[in-house]
Amino acid sequence: MSQNGLTTSSQILAFEDGRVVHSLLANEPKHLKVIEERFGVRVTTREGWVRIDGQQEGVEKVRRLFEELATAREQGLVIRKDEFRYAVDSVDRQGVARLTELYEARLSVSPKKSPITPKTSRQKEYVEALQRYPLVFGTGPAGTGKTYLAVAVGVALLRKEEVKRIVLTRPAVEAGEELGFLPGDVTEKVLPYLRPLYDALGDMLDPEELERLFDRGSIEIAPLAYMRGRTLAHSFVILDEAQNTSREQMLMFLTRLGPGSRCVVTGDPTQIDLPKPKDSGLLEALQALRGVRDIYICQFDESDVIRGPLVQEIVRAYSVYRGTRDAGQL
């Protein structure tokens, strides 16, 4: 059948019952509207079947979407809002979702907590790189999971005893790295700057386990300024907000790595708070180390933002605006 010169079609998919269909929609009936608007089709559900009507290309994509969601569910993946949104975005852009591949890359962080599963193909690539390479750079906008996933990999490796400790560090730009005037010990002084890392740990470990790991030194937080002169052996080291390191700080940090250690450097090159952004140690490292064996650079973009559709749209809008503005100034 054709309509306005375009081929239209209809597909009917049968599932066990209505509860299965509901679970494929992440238990959100309004997600039917999301599918209809994204693919330009009409979707009708009743009991255990789904009917898709519209232009042939859109109908085919929606059929593939439901089938991939169903396959992932059968293999044990719980379809939540993030998984559903990733599947819709992937099928729309690439024609496939491969949710089961994301599930295979899940990380076991605690027997009392659910595994951490990558939400996008690039997050999966990042997780696999963190487990394979001794030094990984994760760059890109806020909300892409680069810090959270780094912490998850560190906790998983610590649990498997592949490393002896996790070391968390971050430049304290606002305090000029001069923390002595602040009250408390080193941990209390630097904690405000490492709060995102600490919050991630709190999501993955129960309070008692987290306190125990801190007490025995299995997890350490330290200001970047205190790294000079140390050798970090058999550790999983995370340098967060690396765009705010100076060139000297970055080189100093990278040369602290000792035997059996792995390191991840995360940052957003568009969010440099240094007086002279061109002096960012992250920018220099990305240029100097590109192509070096055993170093992996994973670059996230707005399609990897998982904090929600609005955050993704904000990042995309700023990217377009700044690109247009900068081009006009050339």
Side-chain angles (χ1 to χ4, degrees):
M1 182 182 297
S2 65
Q3 182 178 353
N4 298 325
L6 297 173
T7 302
T8 60
S9 67
S10 178
Q11 291 262 0
I12 296 178
L13 307 177
F15 299 96
E16 184 178 345
D17 54 41
R19 288 176 299 178
V20 172
V21 176
H22 196 55
S23 69
L24 300 183
L25 297 170
N27 299 312
E28 286 282 357
K30 64 182 180 181
H31 280 164
L32 274 180
K33 190 69 173 177
V34 172
I35 294 173
E36 291 180 331
E37 292 178 351
R38 179 66 71 90
F39 298 101
V41 299
R42 177 177 175 79
V43 182
T44 307
T45 67
R46 186 171 299 167
E47 298 177 351
W49 57 264
V50 175
R51 176 171 176 148
I52 313 159
D53 296 285
Q55 296 177 13
Q56 187 171 346
E57 181 181 3
V59 170
E60 177 62 23
K61 284 186 174 182
V62 175
R63 179 193 65 79
R64 195 176 302 125
L65 170 67
F66 272 101
E67 289 181 350
E68 293 207 31
L69 287 170
T71 299
R73 179 183 179 275
E74 289 169 2
Q75 295 188 8
L77 181 65
V78 177
I79 309 299
R80 294 176 288 257
K81 290 181 181 179
D82 286 340
E83 285 80 11
F84 175 83
R85 186 162 64 88
Y86 167 74
V88 170
D89 288 344
S90 297
V91 170
D92 189 20
R93 291 195 311 268
Q94 305 168 12
V96 292
R98 299 192 177 94
L99 276 172
T100 53
E101 292 183 8
L102 301 184
Y103 187 64
E104 290 168 0
R106 65 194 183 280
L107 299 162
S108 178
V109 294
S110 170
K112 299 181 180 179
K113 300 279 187 173
S114 299
I116 306 297
T117 305
K119 307 299 184 185
T120 71
S121 57
R122 193 172 284 108
Q123 285 192 353
K124 175 178 178 289
E125 166 197 334
Y126 181 58
V127 165
E128 291 173 343
L130 289 171
Q131 297 175 88
R132 177 180 175 187
Y133 290 84
L135 176 57
V136 174
F137 287 83
T139 67
T144 51
K146 53 189 183 293
T147 299
Y148 191 87
L149 290 172
V151 173
V153 171
V155 171
L157 293 177
L158 183 67
R159 180 167 297 282
K160 292 189 291 185
E161 298 184 348
E162 293 188 28
V163 295
K164 293 183 178 179
R165 62 179 170 169
I166 300 172
V167 179
L168 312 172
T169 188
R170 193 180 192 190
V173 171
E174 297 86 345
E177 291 290 347
E178 296 180 5
L179 302 170
F181 67 91
L182 294 174
D185 60 20
V186 171
T187 297
E188 293 169 330
K189 290 175 182 180
V190 78
L191 185 56
Y193 301 99
L194 293 168
R195 175 56 65 181
L197 298 169
Y198 193 86
D199 288 346
L201 287 168
D203 281 348
M204 300 171 198
L205 302 168
D206 62 64
E208 295 78 14
E209 185 177 12
L210 184 57
E211 183 177 1
R212 185 168 63 252
L213 291 172
F214 269 112
D215 288 344
R216 70 186 190 199
S218 297
I219 298 179
E220 174 189 350
I221 58 176
L224 183 59
Y226 292 10
M227 288 290 178
R228 189 174 300 277
R230 298 185 61 183
T231 298
L232 301 172
H234 306 290
S235 303
F236 188 86
V237 190
I238 301 173
L239 171 58
D240 194 34
E241 297 290 343
Q243 74 274 6
N244 289 327
T245 61
S246 68
R247 296 182 180 189
E248 292 75 17
Q249 286 174 328
M250 179 62 79
L251 180 59
M252 176 273 293
F253 170 77
L254 294 176
T255 54
R256 300 306 93 201
L257 299 179
S261 283
R262 304 186 193 193
C263 175
V264 54
V265 177
T266 70
D268 182 355
T270 69
Q271 297 292 324
I272 299 172
D273 297 320
L274 299 173
K276 295 181 179 180
K278 291 183 178 179
D279 291 337
S280 168
L282 177 62
L283 296 183
E284 182 181 50
L286 291 173
Q287 292 296 322
L289 301 177
R290 191 175 298 276
V292 175
R293 189 167 59 91
D294 292 333
I295 296 178
Y296 194 90
I297 298 174
C298 186
Q299 295 177 294
F300 295 94
D301 59 32
E302 63 269 14
S303 67
D304 298 298
V305 173
I306 59 172
R307 285 185 184 164
L310 179 59
V311 175
Q312 190 175 57
E313 290 302 317
I314 289 171
V315 172
R316 183 179 292 116
Y318 264 88
S319 178
V320 171
Y321 168 75
R322 289 180 172 177
T324 302
R325 182 193 61 184
D326 293 344
Q329 293 176 346
L330 294 178

